[in-house]
Amino acid sequence: AVEPRFLTRLCCGRPSRHQPRVAMASRVRAHGAQAPKDTQLLAGGRPGVLGIRREDKNKWERRSPLAPRHVRALVGQGLKVIVQPSTRRVFTDHEYEEAGAIIQEDLTECAAIAAVKEVPIDLLLPNRTWIFFSHTIKAQPAGMPLLDAALEKKVRLVDYECITETGQRGGPRLVAFGNFAGYAGAIDFLRGLGERFLALGYSTPLLHIGSAFMYSSLEEAQRAVAMAGEAIRRNGLPPALCPFTAVFTGMGNVTQGSLDIFKLLPHEIVDPGDLSKLAETGHASSEDCHKLFLSITTAEHMVRHKRGGAFDKAEYYTRPDQYESVFQDTILPYSTVIVNGMYWDERFPKLFDHEDLQRHVVSGNDRLLGVCDITCDADGSVPTRQFTSIEQPFFIYNALTDQTTTSLDDPGVLFHAVDHLPSELPREASEHFGNCLLPFLPSLVAACAPQAPGQGDTGSLPLPMRGAVITEGGQLTREYQYIQQLRTANARMDQEEREMEEELSKGALHPHGVQGVPACVGLELSGHLFDTKLINRILDLVEAQHGRVQIQNLDVASTVSDESHLSMLVMAQSQEQLDKIVSHISLAASEVDVAMRRAGGGSTMVPAAAQASSSLSPSQPPRSVLVLGSGFVSGPLVEYLLRRPENSITIASLERSEVEAFAHRYGSRVRPEVLDVLAPEEEAAREALVKSTDVIVSLVPATMHVGIARLAIRHGKHMVTASYVSEEMQALDTDARAAGVLIINEVGLDPGIDHMSAMQMIHHATSSASTKVLRFSSLCGGLPAPEAAGSSPLGYKFSWSPTGVLLAARNAARWRQDGQLQEIPGSNLLANSKPLTLNNALAFDVLPNRDSTAFAELYGLSDAPTFFRGTLRYRGFCDKMLVVARLGLLEPGPVAALAPLATSGQNPTRRQWFSALLGLPFHDEASLRKSLREHIGGMGMSKEKVEIGEEFVGWLGLLSDLPLPAGATPLDSPIDVTTALLKREEMSYLPGERDMVAMYHELVVERADGAVERRTATLIEYAEPNGATAMARTVGLTAAIAAQLVLDNAEPFGIGVQRPLRKEWYEPVLQCLDGEGIRMDERTELLRPPRTADDTTFVTSGQMGGAGQPVFAAKL
């Protein structure tokens, strides 16, 4: 209680002498307050200053792009962080202030400003870098005024949705809230089920769960769900609700988040195929009432092939029209609730629609009580008729009347469809979001936004961030120029719709005496829709014929080189008129080689050029390609070659199932052959296949190429391989030239892309004869993607036997550095690895790769003081493998110390075998560990490496009493036993895990004027989601492109045994690879400016990598 005379002091905010003085906050006003006006703008802001904007889109948006601890980390790196004050944000201003931020309204000092949701146009400071969810990349009408403002104000606009691992749209997103949408959606849904069950007459523990936003933290919400779960475990659910089956769709972050919540309840995971059996038991078992049955469905459970073939995941995602839904009959009738978290668009079959639901209700076969549609697609994969809000998150859908109501007491199915769920968990969502975003911010705020296209530091941003830049310098960036075309198309369609509505409002009658559109058809197109201007041309054609177009779905390609996909509805006033429009569209599509088909027609999606004509033109004679080998690489190669309608393929391999799978996928254009390329008894079959083909592509092991090459020479057929040219292959050069045959080798990744990109780089840099190459290095590695590498202690995974990788760790190496020949014996290779950090993100070990000097002459760099080729492995690989090698575990031959074990007739344990290998007495594990540490330390290794070695040896199980792994015996060499030990689940690619290829070139040249520059080229390629591996794509597509070039015209390439080192090869191949989204990112850095008349400076070894250090030790 206070006396009236103190009210003035309290209202004026005067602190007492016992309280700390804090920044004054605006008081709450019932009628709102005027927003403070921006102060005078500071042009472009200051580099190194980051702003965090206050969110104001709606009252529930309490998230922040960065939590206070992220701010503390940035301030610790020397950045200045300004945070706009907010009384609604989940983190208080005081928390940010304690973390080192400045709390103020004015953000004009900031070079970059981060927010979560869209920024009001009048508050979008010009000439800044802004990063938020802009909702502009699909040309959404609501987002176009914001995009126009960003262009007008020369804002560098970065969209979180576009920050991907690959830097390309459609790649795995790095900054997202997916899991939190799943968490919040599941919590809210359980709350709604509790209330709905009560309305149906059943009290359940779910009634005591609140919505996610009602809890102070996710942990508290999870505790509430777990308490409800304990009550279910103890008391059970009403028998009428049992068995309670919850079906989850997809395997993405959203589904994983919702599944994590449901797993807090007592549960049992069941296969989707067992749901029908479970439902047949009814609620006879009381045990079933004390748990939920959770089932995870993916595409293979949801659809079937229209022609009755086996489900093919790759085909389904590329040709979904070949599949139809079965979910409505195999899953829906047995589901109590469905949690929908999968990606869906118009190209894919729906899970079920309202007619399916109505059918089951009428037949009495309806168990469905609720649908949680976290994806929020209006009438999409499930019949969601309206979106809901956090305040009113539920509606009831009555399948019999096709009506919705917000009363949970009414009959029907409960639906939950809130489209901004992560804002219900603002604290954890912000923490997670900031973790993802933090690594990219220092580079983003290092400089001011470019004021003209191509200026500034955008090119030096990390690849994921660079690919997310939508506008800069007043223009759309290259990858987002399609937005303007899409806007134009949308505007024209809106105008047509308005004109049609105006006509209808006048009461105009249409054919058949009804108002409406009597003729319509769905069309689907795939190809380069924007750079060919096809979309605009289609609109012209439809308009000229007085028709109408409605775009139903548009999937914009990841890069300008990739294909986009369009689903649209074309309407006309008569069938005759419609047929004419479709004919014109088909012809226009065929002219630009865009694939088109009628939706629902069941026809195969082939290039429209092939649809337009049933026979090939004289300029495209039929071509036949013989592909030897049916492994991973063959998939991308065959797919690429079959894009040309004149090509047919014979694929031959020992694996019948593999070649027949190709034939099943591609039909009559692929002929399968089961063939042994070495067996003498199959010589006649090999001859017949070679004679009947135009080009041979050999993807079999390298040792088999020479025999195939002799057949190619004998019958005058050109040949393509991805393998190194062996001495035996090179020896065939004279015979190949005499026969007029081209045998092009080394057209894969490494060798292949490395050669061609290096030669292009070298030729461009040395176009002047007076330019001197000081140093060249080339590094490459095939690795697991970062998120998959963590489960392997080596950061490496094997697609086949580990033996090859282990043997490579024993290869001797040679390279030239600073004019001196460097040689390392194989026994010391791993000890000579050096660290390297690429793109400020990827930490590697670099190993010298065999004899680099052999390539210096091939590259025309015999006189270069430094020439190096290396192999990339993740950091830590070499330390562990060095211990393995020094302990003798990579020895390829017999070891005398193991002889007694081999002749004893006993099956030793791993510890016994390892003790014998090291010549140590057999001890218990603790004693062996001590001896092992002393043994490794005695090799001169550091304490850290001793610990690393002991840990890895323990992981291999060599300190345990386990038997030797299956297939290994005491008679085997150590490297064979080690190979068997590494054949573990953690060392293999698991379903859903991706691989990655990394390549890096560095070229340092000195010009005639004394200037010294460094050129670098980087390739980071990831596996396609649900598609080919990165290794298969880079090798397969490169070989396919080379084969197609030879098919088209082999004359420019000449004859004989070749490598792709000449301009005639590397220019077209690299250009085609660029069209597939595979390209080297090149940069140039001036190390020393041109020399003046009195300038005697020179480039030090430190500038080029460090005195006395191997070239690959340079900091990049």
Side-chain angles (χ1 to χ4, degrees):
V2 297
E3 295 182 26
R5 59 195 178 94
F6 289 120
L7 288 176
T8 302
R9 177 180 298 179
L10 289 172
C11 292
C12 293
R14 189 181 305 162
S16 75
R17 56 192 179 89
H18 302 294
Q19 295 174 321
R21 184 174 294 274
V22 297
M24 289 296 296
S26 299
R27 65 184 177 86
V28 176
R29 298 177 64 186
H31 293 86
Q34 295 295 319
K37 296 186 178 184
D38 290 332
T39 59
Q40 185 176 2
L41 297 184
L42 177 68
R46 290 195 176 92
V49 183
L50 173 71
I52 298 178
R53 183 181 178 274
R54 173 180 56 247
E55 300 299 320
D56 51 16
K57 184 170 183 179
N58 61 62
K59 69 180 181 182
W60 294 107
E61 193 48 80
R62 302 168 61 217
R63 291 174 292 177
S64 172
L66 296 175
R69 65 183 181 87
H70 302 127
V71 169
R72 182 177 290 106
L74 292 173
V75 172
Q77 296 178 46
L79 299 183
K80 181 178 181 179
V81 182
I82 299 175
V83 179
Q84 278 192 326
S86 173
T87 54
R88 184 180 290 150
R89 192 164 43 217
V90 69
F91 303 107
T92 66
D93 295 344
H94 182 63
E95 288 178 276
Y96 283 109
E97 200 167 31
E98 283 196 328
I102 296 172
I103 309 300
Q104 67 182 41
E105 193 71 35
D106 184 13
L107 298 179
T108 55
E109 187 182 354
C110 305
I113 304 170
V116 176
K117 306 298 284 187
E118 306 96 312
V119 176
I121 292 173
D122 58 330
L123 299 180
L124 193 71
L125 295 180
N127 308 318
R128 304 303 198 279
T129 295
W130 282 89
I131 178 168
F132 52 84
F133 286 109
S134 69
H135 301 293
T136 59
I137 63 173
K138 295 181 181 178
Q140 298 97 314
M144 292 305 94
L146 176 60
L147 182 65
D148 289 337
L151 293 169
E152 180 184 349
K153 296 183 178 186
K154 293 188 176 181
V155 161
R156 176 163 65 179
L157 177 59
V158 183
D159 196 309
Y160 297 128
E161 191 174 351
C162 304
I163 302 176
T164 66
E165 287 183 4
T166 61
Q168 299 175 357
R169 293 187 312 279
R173 287 174 59 182
L174 294 178
V175 182
F177 289 111
N179 284 80
F180 294 91
Y183 296 148
I187 293 167
D188 290 2
F189 186 48
L190 289 172
R191 171 225 162 166
L193 289 174
E195 187 175 347
R196 176 58 176 161
F197 292 160
L198 187 66
L200 294 174
Y202 300 99
S203 177
T204 68
L206 302 183
L207 190 61
H208 306 299
I209 299 174
S211 289
F213 75 87
M214 297 176 179
Y215 300 99
S216 62
S217 67
L218 174 60
E219 182 181 358
E220 192 174 319
Q222 290 170 323
R223 190 179 303 116
V225 175
M227 289 175 64
E230 184 57 36
I232 292 173
R233 181 181 289 108
R234 186 173 58 251
N235 303 319
L237 291 168
L241 299 176
C242 301
F244 190 116
T245 55
V247 171
F248 299 79
T249 63
M251 291 287 288
N253 290 335
V254 171
T255 295
Q256 291 302 320
S258 58
L259 196 58
D260 287 347
I261 297 300
F262 269 78
K263 285 182 176 179
L264 296 172
L265 304 173
H267 65 276
E268 178 182 333
I269 303 293
V270 296
D271 187 88
D274 294 332
L275 285 173
S276 59
K277 300 174 186 176
L278 188 64
E280 289 171 3
T281 65
H283 46 266
S285 171
S286 60
E287 182 183 346
D288 290 349
C289 291
H290 291 261
K291 61 186 174 183
L292 279 66
F293 295 88
L294 313 182
S295 186
I296 304 163
T297 59
T298 56
E300 63 182 308
H301 308 113
M302 302 172 183
V303 297
R304 68 182 172 200
H305 204 287
K306 290 180 178 178
R307 297 196 305 272
F311 175 80
D312 185 311
K313 186 176 182 179
E315 180 189 37
Y316 174 67
Y317 283 101
T318 56
R319 300 167 66 191
D321 58 291
Q322 298 298 306
Y323 290 81
E324 60 188 3
S325 176
V326 294
F327 186 96
Q328 73 278 8
D329 294 318
T330 60
I331 305 294
L332 178 62
Y334 314 112
S335 307
T336 307
V337 297
I338 293 173
V339 181
N340 188 31
M342 71 175 190
Y343 171 80
W344 181 89
D345 63 47
E346 292 281 352
R347 293 173 297 152
F348 297 94
K350 295 186 176 186
L351 296 178
F352 64 97
D353 56 25
H354 99 276
E355 292 178 352
D356 295 318
L357 197 54
Q358 184 183 65
R359 173 166 52 88
H360 289 308
V361 172
V362 171
S363 66
N365 195 25
D366 59 317
R367 293 178 52 86
L368 188 68
L369 297 176
V371 175
C372 181
D373 187 12
I374 304 177
T375 61
C376 283
D377 293 317
D379 221 1
S381 56
V382 299
T384 299
R385 293 305 173 87
Q386 65 189 57
F387 296 151
T388 55
S389 64
I390 292 176
E391 299 98 314
Q392 293 184 323
F394 310 108
F395 69 88
I396 295 293
Y397 173 64
N398 189 321
L400 294 177
T401 64
D402 196 25
Q403 299 296 316
T404 64
T405 175
T406 57
S407 172
L408 300 196
D409 295 334
D410 291 339
V413 176
L414 177 78
F415 268 76
H416 173 268
V418 176
D419 65 353
H420 50 287
L421 286 166
S423 60
E424 291 197 56
L425 297 168
R427 182 173 295 275
E428 291 83 1
S430 299
E431 290 277 1
H432 168 79
F433 198 77
N435 290 343
C436 301
L437 184 61
L438 185 64
F440 302 112
L441 289 177
S443 61
L444 197 66
V445 77
C448 295
Q451 295 308 293
Q455 294 183 357
D457 67 336
T458 297
S460 63
L461 293 176
L463 188 62
M465 188 62 74
R466 197 184 327 152
V469 177
I470 297 175
T471 68
E472 67 173 10
Q475 291 186 13
L476 291 164
T477 55
R478 179 173 179 262
E479 297 292 350
Y480 295 92
Q481 289 173 1
Y482 71 87
I483 295 177
Q484 186 55 49
Q485 293 184 49
L486 193 53
R487 290 183 70 179
T488 302
N490 288 338
R492 289 182 59 177
M493 286 187 291
D494 289 344
Q495 178 62 29
E496 290 174 8
E497 187 170 350
R498 284 193 297 270
E499 291 174 355
M500 180 168 284
E501 288 175 353
E502 184 178 347
E503 185 178 357
L504 290 173
S505 68
K506 295 176 181 177
L509 288 178
H510 293 264
H512 309 290
V514 297
Q515 292 181 338
V517 181
C520 64
V521 66
L523 297 180
E524 296 182 0
L525 297 98
S526 296
H528 296 283
L529 306 178
F530 294 99
D531 51 0
T532 63
K533 304 293 193 296
L534 180 62
I535 286 185
N536 303 77
R537 189 173 176 190
I538 288 173
L539 293 173
D540 289 338
L541 292 170
V542 174
E543 184 178 8
Q545 296 297 322
H546 306 289
R548 185 182 166 204
V549 169
Q550 178 181 335
I551 291 180
Q552 296 176 304
N553 183 71
L554 178 62
D555 183 10
V556 181
S558 301
T559 71
V560 294
S561 306
D562 294 336
E563 292 186 346
S564 297
H565 303 279
L566 169 69
S567 299
M568 63 181 179
L569 192 65
V570 182
M571 296 162 277
Q573 294 299 323
S574 69
Q575 188 62 47
E576 180 181 0
Q577 186 184 21
L578 181 66
D579 290 342
K580 190 173 183 179
I581 293 173
V582 172
S583 176
H584 285 314
I585 294 175
S586 178
L587 181 61
S590 70
E591 291 174 356
V592 293
D593 200 28
V594 167
M596 189 194 88
R597 74 172 188 89
R598 289 176 181 255
S603 60
T604 302
M605 185 179 284
V606 297
Q611 293 183 6
S613 173
S614 60
S615 61
L616 297 170
S617 66
S619 62
Q620 293 179 319
R623 297 291 188 185
S624 174
V625 183
L626 173 61
V627 177
L628 298 173
S630 58
F632 290 133
V633 172
S634 304
L637 179 135
V638 169
E639 185 275 330
Y640 183 91
L641 291 174
L642 288 180
R643 295 179 193 174
R644 294 283 287 269
E646 70 270 22
N647 291 345
S648 62
I649 291 176
T650 298
I651 184 163
S653 166
L654 270 174
E655 300 296 330
R656 178 182 296 276
S657 61
E658 291 180 358
V659 295
E660 289 181 347
F662 276 99
H664 175 75
R665 177 178 300 179
Y666 295 107
S668 60
R669 294 177 63 197
V670 174
R671 180 164 66 98
E673 290 286 345
V674 179
L675 180 75
D676 187 335
V677 297
L678 294 179
E681 62 273 16
E682 296 196 36
E683 178 73 18
R686 292 194 293 272
E687 291 255 6
L689 290 175
V690 169
K691 287 169 64 176
S692 62
T693 195
D694 293 301
V695 167
I696 305 163
V697 181
S698 181
L699 300 176
V700 295
T703 54
M704 302 179 183
H705 291 324
V706 173
I708 299 164
R710 291 195 180 102
L711 279 177
I713 293 170
R714 185 184 311 165
H715 296 286
K717 305 296 181 180
H718 301 312
M719 178 173 163
V720 178
T721 87
S723 302
Y724 281 109
V725 175
S726 64
E727 292 182 4
E728 295 84 355
M729 182 66 83
Q730 188 61 51
L732 297 177
D733 181 61
T734 302
D735 291 342
R737 291 180 180 278
V741 167
L742 167 64
I743 302 179
I744 175 65
N745 305 269
E746 304 185 12
V747 281
L749 170 67
D750 177 5
I753 296 176
D754 60 340
H755 288 336
M756 293 181 282
S757 55
M759 292 306 299
Q760 183 179 63
M761 190 181 195
I762 292 166
H763 287 169
H764 286 173
T766 59
S767 54
S768 171
S770 57
T771 298
K772 179 182 178 182
V773 174
L774 302 179
R775 182 176 78 221
F776 175 79
S777 65
S778 177
L779 316 174
C780 186
L783 300 158
E787 77 276 4
S791 60
S792 163
L794 288 176
Y796 193 85
K797 299 211 170 192
F798 303 103
S799 299
W800 47 82
S801 173
T803 304
V805 174
L806 299 184
L807 287 172
R810 295 175 50 84
N811 289 331
R814 285 160 45 103
W815 72 93
R816 195 166 58 245
Q817 182 177 331
D818 296 334
Q820 301 296 315
L821 183 65
Q822 307 289 324
E823 294 188 88
I824 295 175
S827 59
N828 213 27
L829 179 73
L830 292 161
N832 281 272
S833 69
K834 297 295 178 183
L836 174 137
T837 301
L838 200 59
N839 286 356
N840 293 322
L842 298 170
F844 293 122
D845 286 338
V846 180
L847 286 164
N849 187 2
R850 303 197 184 191
D851 187 359
S852 296
T853 62
F855 292 90
E857 184 175 352
L858 291 174
Y859 286 11
L861 299 181
S862 300
D863 297 330
T866 298
F867 188 97
F868 176 83
R869 282 166 55 89
T871 299
L872 296 173
R873 295 287 183 260
Y874 280 122
R875 187 78 50 81
F877 175 93
C878 291
D879 284 346
K880 294 182 178 70
M881 290 302 297
L882 176 62
V883 173
V884 168
R886 293 284 169 85
L887 291 175
L889 289 165
L890 299 185
E891 291 301 318
V895 175
L898 295 174
L901 281 180
T903 58
S904 67
Q906 298 179 345
N907 292 321
T909 65
R910 297 184 188 186
R911 180 149 46 95
Q912 288 174 318
W913 180 88
F914 186 51
S915 298
L917 175 68
L918 299 182
L920 299 173
F922 179 67
H923 292 302
D924 57 26
E925 180 176 341
S927 300
L928 182 55
R929 281 185 179 276
K930 180 180 178 182
S931 299
L932 176 62
R933 287 193 293 269
E934 294 172 352
H935 193 83
I936 299 174
M939 300 174 183
M941 294 191 178
S942 66
K943 180 180 179 181
E944 180 184 7
K945 289 187 178 180
V946 170
E947 293 175 353
I948 289 172
E950 179 189 355
E951 181 182 2
F952 187 57
V953 167
W955 181 85
L956 288 171
L958 290 172
L959 305 178
S960 72
D961 289 326
L962 290 171
L964 290 177
T969 72
L971 295 172
D972 293 334
S973 65
I975 196 171
D976 290 334
V977 174
T978 304
T979 295
L981 289 168
L982 287 172
K983 289 181 178 179
R984 293 171 53 164
E985 184 179 81
E986 303 97 309
M987 302 302 297
S988 301
Y989 286 96
L990 301 177
E993 290 187 335
R994 306 176 304 153
D995 73 322
M996 174 189 82
V997 297
M999 184 179 291
Y1000 179 81
H1001 300 323
E1002 183 184 46
L1003 177 70
V1004 178
V1005 297
E1006 182 178 21
R1007 305 207 174 280
D1009 60 4
V1012 175
E1013 67 180 29
R1014 175 188 303 156
R1015 296 190 175 204
T1016 63
T1018 308
L1019 169 69
I1020 304 291
E1021 183 74 13
Y1022 293 91
E1024 295 177 324
N1026 307 308
T1029 66
M1031 185 64 71
R1033 279 193 84 232
T1034 50
V1035 176
L1037 288 174
T1038 307
I1041 290 166
Q1044 188 62 60
L1045 290 171
V1046 174
L1047 283 168
D1048 289 340
N1049 183 12
E1051 186 175 346
F1053 308 113
I1055 53 177
V1057 176
Q1058 296 189 23
R1059 298 175 175 89
L1061 303 177
R1062 293 183 290 119
K1063 185 177 181 179
E1064 290 81 2
W1065 278 115
Y1066 67 68
E1067 279 195 346
V1069 174
L1070 292 178
Q1071 182 178 359
C1072 290
L1073 285 170
D1074 187 88
E1076 301 298 319
I1078 299 172
R1079 65 179 66 87
M1080 302 288 285
D1081 177 36
E1082 297 189 14
R1083 301 181 189 178
T1084 301
E1085 174 190 3
L1086 188 66
L1087 296 181
R1088 185 183 68 192
R1091 186 184 297 115
T1092 60
D1094 57 350
D1095 188 2
T1096 59
T1097 60
F1098 59 91
V1099 178
T1100 67
S1101 59
Q1103 287 176 288
M1104 297 196 300
Q1109 294 295 317
V1111 63
F1112 51 88
K1115 180 181 180 182
L1116 304 176

